[in-house]
Amino acid sequence: MQIDRLRRLLKRINDLEYLNYLIRQQSGKIMLHFGLRALNKHHNGIKKDFNGIKRRRLKKIVKYAYVNSEYYRDLFNERNIDINKFEDFLRIPFLDKEIIKREKSNLMALSNNKDYVGFVTTGGSTGEPLGFHTLGSYDAEHQAFLFKMFGYKSGDRILAMDGSIIPDNLLDKNVFWIQKSRRDLPYGSVALSSQYLTNDNIDSYIHFIKEFKPDIIRGYPSFINTIACHINKQHLNLALNIKAVELTSESFYDDQIINIQKAFNTKIINQYGHAEASIFGYSIDETLTTFCSPFYGFTEIIGEDGRAVNKGEIGEVVVTGFNNYAMPFIRYRTGDMALYDGEDYGITKFKKILGRTQDYIYTREMEKVLLTAIVFGRHYKAFDHIKKWQIIQDEPGNIIFKIIKDDNFSTEDQLELQDNFYKIAQIETSFEFVNNLPLTPRGKSKLLIQNINL
């Protein structure tokens, strides 16, 4: 093992590309340390303009992509893009999943046979799984920055509630958690898995949380909400002093926030990002407004016409990552929709993240209706009697509700959903009551299954 590590080290020392990357990465960490300190002070009243920093980092990654990636070099030359002009940056065509799949080798700015170049796959929440190469990320530094803003101190315990796979030998002992790291910062030392949660074992999950005594919880909103609903329903008092619950990796909704706050008696953090590592969004207060770090990437909100939306309008999140030197993503369409809230001294803000561009249902006339407009921001009484649900659309004008109901769900709740969906969008509804709903391979919940192909 030691000999293999030594050989790998010697190989890297003789690799000029690796040495250049190492210098960039380490100098970047030093600058980021001071940058995040300034960002913290900014949110605490000592204002700083980050526009200049963000533009310089944008120019740096665009120039790097032009010099090192065949795809970007050919594209910029073909479109006469001047990499020194910001207005020309806005003329660069959008990058999407299909282009990445088709042009993967040409997008590479480093050889993918380097042993220090990583490979990442997304979970395919849009139905389009994606694999790509990475090198360089400051996600851990940003996560530590965020937790420290909410009071993290050395020695605090962070519990991850995610979709970790638990080995069979532990499952045989009814153990649904696993040690993932020796360190709590930044992602938690122990993970409690959503993959195995049932009505029969939910009390074991809650007992573990109580015994673990986390100072911070981070994880999937749907999973944490399921636990919170059970705590509230059983009127349990966990007697914990949790500094914050961070919601990440899924969209979350107003009712979930209420449930989680009540169960854990703490603050909620909204953390937004992707496996593509091109945006790090975070909240700082109870409004849950998303601030996009100017040190992580350049963020745009684009309308259907391909142009920037105005403050107060909804558009698609388009990102340019500053730190992936293996395969730069420039003007990448994430598929996420957000309500744009303007700029704060160079920090892009979202009032709300509304889901994915695919989160539409269709009327009989094939008019798109954003699911958010019908479901979220409204408080249906039926929500109090639904443990979990999923919406499936196979044909225009009709949807199926698959619902795990509690003992109090009634015909009145069913009529409330049925009447509102028809009144708002002329959508006919039918209901299937089930005992469980499948999770994605990563242990996440998916609200909408859209089977209409356009």
Side-chain angles (χ1 to χ4, degrees):
M1 184 70 71
Q2 294 295 329
I3 293 175
D4 288 342
R5 291 180 64 183
L6 182 60
R7 285 174 178 166
R8 190 162 57 246
L9 180 61
L10 290 173
K11 182 180 178 181
R12 291 182 179 183
I13 289 174
N14 290 300
D15 185 335
L16 184 59
E17 287 183 330
Y18 176 74
L19 294 177
N20 287 334
Y21 157 71
L22 194 62
I23 292 169
R24 276 195 305 267
Q25 187 74 353
Q26 294 306 312
S27 62
K29 280 189 177 183
I30 295 170
M31 290 187 288
L32 182 64
H33 171 76
F34 292 103
L36 292 177
R37 285 180 62 181
L39 197 57
N40 193 331
K41 290 179 180 179
H42 174 82
H43 290 307
N44 285 284
I46 304 175
K47 298 300 180 183
K48 179 179 176 63
D49 191 335
F50 295 97
N51 276 296
I53 295 169
K54 189 166 68 172
R55 291 284 183 92
R56 287 194 295 274
R57 292 183 69 86
L58 177 66
K59 182 178 177 180
K60 182 179 179 181
I61 195 67
V62 170
K63 182 177 180 180
Y64 174 87
Y66 176 75
V67 171
N68 294 284
S69 164
E70 181 180 347
Y71 170 79
Y72 288 114
R73 184 163 53 252
D74 291 347
L75 180 66
F76 293 0
N77 287 338
E78 178 187 329
R79 300 295 181 108
N80 293 316
I81 302 293
D82 186 337
I83 59 176
N84 294 304
K85 293 181 178 179
F86 178 71
E87 55 267 29
D88 274 20
F89 166 79
L90 298 175
R91 292 198 299 109
I92 297 173
F94 298 121
L95 182 70
D96 60 27
K97 288 180 173 62
E98 286 305 313
I99 294 173
I100 294 169
K101 291 175 183 177
R102 186 178 69 244
E103 299 285 348
K104 186 176 292 184
S105 60
N106 294 326
L107 277 162
M108 292 296 298
L110 289 173
S111 173
N112 61 8
N113 62 10
K114 307 285 188 181
D115 62 8
Y116 50 86
V117 173
F119 185 76
V120 175
T121 57
T122 68
S125 59
T126 63
E128 299 177 77
L130 179 68
F132 51 91
H133 296 275
T134 64
L135 179 66
S137 171
Y138 296 118
D139 192 83
E141 289 81 1
H142 276 80
Q143 192 66 71
F145 146 79
L146 179 55
F147 283 150
K148 287 175 183 177
M149 284 189 65
F150 280 83
Y152 173 87
K153 304 293 183 186
S154 179
D156 281 355
R157 308 188 83 184
I158 300 173
L159 175 65
M161 293 180 64
D162 57 22
S164 293
I165 301 299
I166 308 298
D168 289 341
N169 65 309
L170 293 179
L171 292 176
D172 290 341
K173 301 173 186 176
N174 290 323
V175 173
F176 308 106
W177 49 89
I178 189 171
Q179 184 89 25
K180 297 196 75 172
S181 170
R182 293 180 180 178
R183 301 176 57 208
D184 277 282
L185 200 65
Y187 302 117
S189 58
V190 172
L192 184 61
S193 179
S194 63
Q195 300 272 10
Y196 314 97
L197 180 66
T198 67
N199 289 332
D200 293 332
N201 65 28
I202 192 168
D203 288 322
S204 296
Y205 276 72
I206 293 171
H207 178 74
F208 173 78
I209 294 171
K210 187 174 182 178
E211 292 298 309
F212 184 76
K213 293 183 173 59
D215 296 284
I216 292 173
I217 294 173
R218 70 180 301 269
Y220 301 164
S222 59
F223 179 26
I224 300 172
N225 180 63
T226 299
I227 299 290
C229 286
H230 190 77
I231 291 171
N232 295 334
K233 183 177 180 180
Q234 299 298 321
H235 305 290
L236 302 177
N237 181 6
L238 302 190
L240 298 175
N241 185 23
I242 297 175
K243 295 179 178 180
V245 173
E246 179 190 86
L247 305 181
T248 185
S249 297
E250 294 176 342
S251 297
F252 57 84
Y253 314 115
D254 293 344
D255 285 77
Q256 293 176 328
I257 297 297
I258 294 168
N259 293 334
I260 294 168
Q261 285 179 324
K262 182 179 179 182
F264 295 105
N265 190 31
T266 191
K267 299 173 183 176
I268 302 295
I269 308 173
N270 159 30
Q271 195 277 309
Y272 170 70
H274 307 105
E276 291 88 338
S278 296
I279 182 171
F280 188 94
Y282 59 93
S283 64
I284 61 172
D285 56 29
E286 66 279 357
T287 67
L288 298 180
T289 296
T290 301
F291 294 80
C292 301
S293 169
F295 300 100
Y296 205 91
F298 187 89
T299 306
E300 305 170 73
I301 308 296
I302 302 298
E304 291 187 353
D305 61 359
R307 298 179 181 180
V309 303
N310 297 314
K311 183 177 179 179
E313 295 179 342
I314 294 171
E316 182 178 358
V317 180
V318 172
V319 294
T320 299
F322 292 156
N323 306 306
N324 186 357
Y325 288 96
M327 183 184 282
F329 281 12
I330 296 176
R331 304 200 81 196
Y332 171 67
R333 300 184 64 164
T334 66
D336 287 343
M337 304 295 288
L339 178 60
Y340 180 51
D341 196 36
E343 303 288 320
D344 174 31
Y345 293 85
I347 305 170
T348 302
K349 298 190 300 178
F350 310 152
K351 195 71 175 175
K352 198 173 185 65
I353 298 164
L354 302 171
R356 305 198 63 83
T357 51
Q358 287 81 3
D359 287 346
Y360 287 98
I361 54 178
Y362 295 88
T363 67
R364 291 190 184 280
E365 292 74 30
M366 285 301 293
E367 293 180 358
K368 291 194 300 185
V369 180
L370 187 62
L371 198 57
T372 307
I374 310 178
V375 177
F376 312 123
R378 302 170 181 271
H379 181 74
Y380 292 97
K381 292 180 181 178
F383 287 169
D384 296 332
H385 306 144
I386 294 175
K387 293 181 179 180
K388 200 171 181 182
W389 68 330
Q390 190 173 73
I391 297 171
I392 300 172
Q393 186 168 38
D394 295 319
E395 59 183 35
N398 290 277
I399 60 171
I400 301 168
F401 288 118
K402 284 193 172 183
I403 293 175
I404 302 175
K405 60 182 180 177
D406 72 8
D407 295 337
N408 297 313
F409 190 90
S410 66
T411 302
E412 184 180 337
D413 295 320
Q414 187 170 328
L415 289 172
E416 181 189 29
L417 293 171
Q418 180 178 301
D419 291 347
N420 274 279
F421 269 72
Y422 189 79
K423 182 179 179 181
I424 297 169
Q426 288 74 56
I427 298 290
E428 300 280 358
T429 57
S430 59
F431 293 79
E432 292 181 16
F433 298 105
V434 298
N435 293 320
N436 59 72
L437 290 168
L439 301 176
T440 70
R442 299 195 179 202
K444 300 181 185 180
S445 294
K446 193 169 184 181
L447 176 62
L448 176 65
I449 305 296
Q450 180 53 267
N451 294 322
I452 295 176
N453 295 316
L454 300 180

